[in-house]
Amino acid sequence: MDRKALEYHVRGILEAIGEDPEREGLLDTPSRVAAMLEETLEGIAYTNHDIAKMFGKTFSSESLSDSEEAVVMKDITVFSYCEHHLALMYDMSVNVAYIPHGRVLGLSKIARICDMAAKRLQLQEKLGRDICEIISEAAGTPDVAVAIKGSHSCMTARGIRNASAQTLTTTFIGAFKGDPELKKLVEFG
C-alpha cells in the first residue's frame, strides 16, 4: 500500500466534509487512518493461493476415514469492509467444515485463513467462496463448507438503518454440495 497517498487522500476527505485537518484532534488522523488501513486490509496484497501457502501447514490424518470424519470449526470471529460503500461488515462469525483426504490443517490455520481472507474489500458471498477455495487448497481436499453470519453497516448505520439485520451466506463444494447432513455441520444454532 502507498502510505503517503493514503495520508494525502484522508486529509482530502477531512477537508471535503468540512473539517479542519489542522485542528488538534485531527492532526495525526491521516497517519492513523493510513496505518489502520494497512493493517485491516492486509489481505489485499495476497491471492487465495498465497494465503493457502502461508497457512497450509498440515498433518497426516491417516487415522481418519475420508468418508466418515469431518473437521469443523465454528464461531471464528472476523470483520471486513464492503466493497460498495467501504462500510464495516461486523459481528461476523464464520463456520468452516472440511473432510480430510490424508491431511488435516492445524486448527489455528483455519482461523488465520478466515482472518486474512477477510482483510479485503469485498462482499460477504465472495468471502465465503474465498475461504472455501483457500481451505480446499491448503488442506488438499475438494470437500469444504463455509457459513458466514454478519452485520453490515451499509444496512445498519445508513440507508434503511435496520440495526438488527444480519446476512447469512453459505458456500458448499464437493461432498457438501449434495449432502444435507454434511451441510448441517456449519449451520448456526
Side-chain angles (χ1 to χ4, degrees), residues 36 87 120 137 147 177:
M36 178 202 66
R120 300 169 170 166
E137 180 179 341
K177 266 185 150 174

Side-chain angles (χ1 to χ4, degrees), residues 23-75:
R23 75 174 171 84
E24 184 180 355
L26 295 177
L27 279 175
D28 294 326
T29 297
S31 176
R32 285 192 298 266
V33 171
M36 178 202 66
L37 290 172
E38 285 177 329
E39 178 184 339
T40 61
L41 296 175
E42 177 186 9
I44 289 173
Y46 304 105
T47 66
N48 287 351
H49 175 71
D50 294 336
I51 297 170
K53 294 207 47 103
M54 272 193 293
F55 302 118
K57 175 70 175 159
T58 61
F59 304 92
S60 174
S61 68
E62 292 174 4
S63 63
L64 298 177
S65 166
D66 286 343
S67 61
E68 296 178 14
E69 301 291 334
V71 175
V72 181
M73 183 174 281
K74 289 191 169 191
D75 300 323

Side-chain angles (χ1 to χ4, degrees), residues 75-97:
D75 300 323
I76 301 165
T77 303
V78 300
F79 70 90
S80 194
Y81 292 95
C82 164
E83 65 186 26
H84 294 155
H85 300 99
L86 303 185
L88 186 64
M89 299 185 325
Y90 62 98
D91 289 340
M92 295 180 81
S93 186
V94 181
N95 295 345
V96 175

Side-chain angles (χ1 to χ4, degrees), residues 78 115 184:
V78 300
D115 181 65
K184 287 180 183 179

